[in-house]
């Protein structure tokens, strides 16, 4: 844990400490005018979590009439939808040298994310009567952060990268610029998913499984049914489905084929969030031989009062799946009694069987 981290922001898991400190050059008056920010990053590979401990700022630019500011820090992962991955510290009132000692945590961050994403750390001034004002920012490529090691930063805040001026370009250049912007937006949409789902699976065999195996070898009766425990833990970075930029998500599970239509389970609805935490478990009575031929469908929906609910994304797990979904399913089948937990990327392919919510 970093010195000075206290209260609810303290990390429960200690990583190895990378003693190097990245410090931006602060010789320029343009840089020091905005102030400096001290923070640290820790990526825990085992839990797919990224922790950012915001420590303090110094010499911030005055933003209010009293010559002070009401600063807070907000985080964004780029590329990515702002509301889906925005985290924010508390506001410190009337200070140009605020101390936060607050840890903000992203869930569902894969090693691929760490290779290609950038963390934008912004310092802003809160104004209750008008719009909040931007003070300065720093952008950190996450590939610089080694897994399970603290990385400490003390950076000079900068202005955001300037946008090209349309008046400085000819008509042809403006056309090229618009094309490139559309292409970049399309590429970003392709990179960004519908969100992530943390799912746990556990097959609980019958209590007298060993006796049954002995009887099977002697040609006796069939084995009794065990239970498949499906744990819906949380979602992260869900697509926004409502006009307020959020969703009201809930999760449904099915075990197919489902001839009697009795396999449907639903979590509670979590209002106005893109990062819901459910921690709900559902059970299916089933034998090991039946389980190998089943498909577990897990879908995430946005609840809408008075009209059809919106499909956000889903994942199917079976012996016919691919990639991470297949590995998760096989780990469950091959490790009876053991709880296996994995993050899954949601796809926008709506299963036909769950089209009518």
């Amino acid at each position: 844990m970093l010195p000075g981290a206290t209260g609810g922001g303290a990390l429960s898991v200690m990583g190895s400490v990378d003693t190097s400190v990245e410090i931006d050059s602060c010789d320029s008056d343009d840089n020091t005018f905005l102030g400096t920010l001290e923070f640290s990053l820790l990526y825990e590979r085992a839990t797919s979590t990224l922790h950012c401990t915001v420590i303090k700022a110094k010499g911030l630019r005055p933003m209010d009439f009293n010559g002070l500011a009401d600063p807070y820090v907000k985080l964004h992962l780029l590329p990515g939808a702002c509301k889906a991955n925005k985290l924010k510290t508390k506001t410190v009132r009337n200070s140009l040298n605020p101390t936060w000692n607050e840890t903000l945590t992203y869930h569902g961050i894969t090693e691929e994310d760490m290779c290609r994403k950038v963390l934008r750390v912004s310092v802003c001034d809160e104004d209750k009567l008008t719009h909040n004002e931007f003070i300065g920012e720093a952008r950190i490529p996450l590939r610089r952060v080694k897994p399970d090691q603290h990385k400490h930063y003390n950076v000079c805040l900068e202005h955001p990268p300037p946008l090209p001026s349309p008046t400085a370009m000819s008509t042809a250049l403006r056309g090229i610029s618009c094309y490139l912007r559309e292409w970049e937006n399309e590429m970003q949409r392709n990179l960004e998913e519908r969100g992530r789902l943390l799912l746990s699976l556990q097959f609980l065999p019958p209590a007298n499984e060993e006796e049954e195996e002995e009887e099977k070898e002697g040609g006796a009766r069939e084995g009794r049914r065990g239970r498949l425990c499906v744990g819906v833990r949380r979602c992260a970075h869900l697509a926004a489905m409502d006009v307020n930029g959020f969703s009201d998500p809930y999760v449904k599970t099915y075990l197919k084929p489902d001839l009697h239509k009795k396999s449907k389970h639903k979590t509670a609805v979590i209002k106005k969030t893109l990062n819901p935490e459910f921690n709900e478990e559902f059970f299916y009575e089933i034998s090991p031989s039946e389980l190998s031929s089943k498909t577990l469908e897990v879908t995430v929906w946005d609840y809408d009062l008075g009209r059809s609910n919106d499909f956000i994304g889903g994942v199917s797990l079976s012996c016919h799946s691919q990639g991470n979904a297949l590995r998760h399913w096989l780990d469950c089948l091959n490790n009876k009694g053991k709880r296996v937990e994995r993050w899954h990327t949601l796809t926008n392919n709506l299963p036909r069987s769950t089209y009518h919510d």
Side-chain angles (χ1 to χ4, degrees), residues 197 315-317 321-331 341-345:
L197 169 69
V315 62
S316 295
L317 299 93
S321 299
Q322 296 180 345
N324 194 46
L326 175 61
R327 288 191 293 271
H328 196 182
W329 190 250
L330 293 180
D331 283 347
E341 195 169 270
R342 284 184 184 268
W343 282 96
H344 294 275
T345 298

Side-chain angles (χ1 to χ4, degrees), residues 1-3 10-17 42 44 51 148-150:
M1 188 184 303
L2 292 173
L11 299 181
S12 59
V13 180
M14 286 292 293
S16 302
V17 177
L42 171 63
E44 293 182 12
H51 306 282
D148 303 312
Q149 292 188 10
H150 284 93

Side-chain angles (χ1 to χ4, degrees), residues 100-346:
W100 289 281
N101 285 328
E102 187 173 345
T103 298
L104 307 175
T105 299
Y106 283 106
H107 297 274
I109 302 299
T110 64
E111 293 186 56
E112 181 186 357
D113 291 329
M114 296 299 292
C115 291
R116 68 179 179 88
K117 285 186 178 285
V118 172
L119 180 66
R120 182 190 185 205
V121 186
S122 307
V123 181
C124 300
D125 170 58
E126 182 180 291
D127 284 314
K128 292 185 177 180
L129 300 180
T130 61
H131 294 294
N132 296 341
E133 296 179 286
F134 176 84
I135 297 177
E137 70 170 37
R139 300 193 180 201
I140 309 297
L142 293 181
R143 63 179 180 272
R144 297 180 183 176
V145 181
K146 298 178 181 179
D148 303 312
Q149 292 188 10
H150 284 93
K151 184 75 171 179
H152 195 82
Y153 294 87
N154 192 0
V155 299
C156 290
L157 298 174
E158 300 177 346
H159 296 283
L163 298 174
S165 172
T167 58
M169 298 185 292
S170 65
T171 303
L173 288 177
R174 284 200 299 272
I176 293 173
S177 175
C178 291
Y179 169 79
L180 291 176
R181 191 180 301 114
E182 290 178 2
W183 177 83
E184 185 181 53
N185 290 339
E186 182 62 29
M187 290 300 294
Q188 179 170 319
R189 282 193 292 270
N190 291 337
L191 282 173
E192 292 307 308
E193 309 90 6
R194 308 288 289 181
R196 309 254 171 101
L197 169 69
L198 181 59
L199 198 66
S200 74
L201 298 178
Q202 182 182 23
F203 180 72
L204 302 170
N208 57 346
E209 185 181 61
E210 294 182 1
E211 297 177 7
E212 291 177 2
E213 291 298 327
E214 293 175 359
E215 292 176 355
K216 281 185 181 179
E217 292 175 1
R221 61 183 175 83
E222 293 185 4
R224 294 181 181 177
R225 297 160 73 85
R227 291 199 301 170
L228 174 66
C229 175
V230 179
V232 180
R233 300 301 173 209
R234 68 191 311 148
C235 293
H237 324 312
L238 293 179
M241 307 302 290
D242 297 335
V243 293
N244 61 6
F246 292 98
S247 292
D248 301 317
Y250 66 95
V251 177
K252 295 194 300 180
T253 67
Y254 292 88
L255 195 60
K256 302 299 181 74
D258 182 20
L259 299 178
H260 302 289
K261 298 183 179 181
K262 294 182 178 180
S263 72
K264 175 181 173 181
H265 289 291
K266 293 172 64 173
T267 68
V269 176
I270 309 296
K271 293 288 187 178
K272 198 178 178 183
T273 179
L274 301 178
N275 298 282
E277 186 171 357
F278 299 99
N279 287 323
E280 294 191 38
E281 291 186 340
F282 307 115
F283 293 88
Y284 296 99
E285 288 193 6
I286 192 168
S287 68
S289 58
E290 290 176 315
L291 189 60
S292 61
S293 62
K294 292 284 189 177
T295 296
L296 178 67
E297 287 183 1
V298 186
T299 52
V300 185
W301 298 79
D302 168 54
Y303 174 77
D304 286 314
L305 182 63
R307 59 190 180 92
S308 297
N309 298 330
D310 298 316
F311 174 71
I312 298 178
V315 62
S316 295
L317 299 93
S318 72
C319 291
H320 304 290
S321 299
Q322 296 180 345
N324 194 46
L326 175 61
R327 288 191 293 271
H328 196 182
W329 190 250
L330 293 180
D331 283 347
C332 174
L333 295 180
N334 296 330
N335 297 276
K336 296 174 184 176
K338 180 181 178 181
R339 190 184 302 276
V340 185
E341 195 169 270
R342 284 184 184 268
W343 282 96
H344 294 275
T345 298
L346 301 175

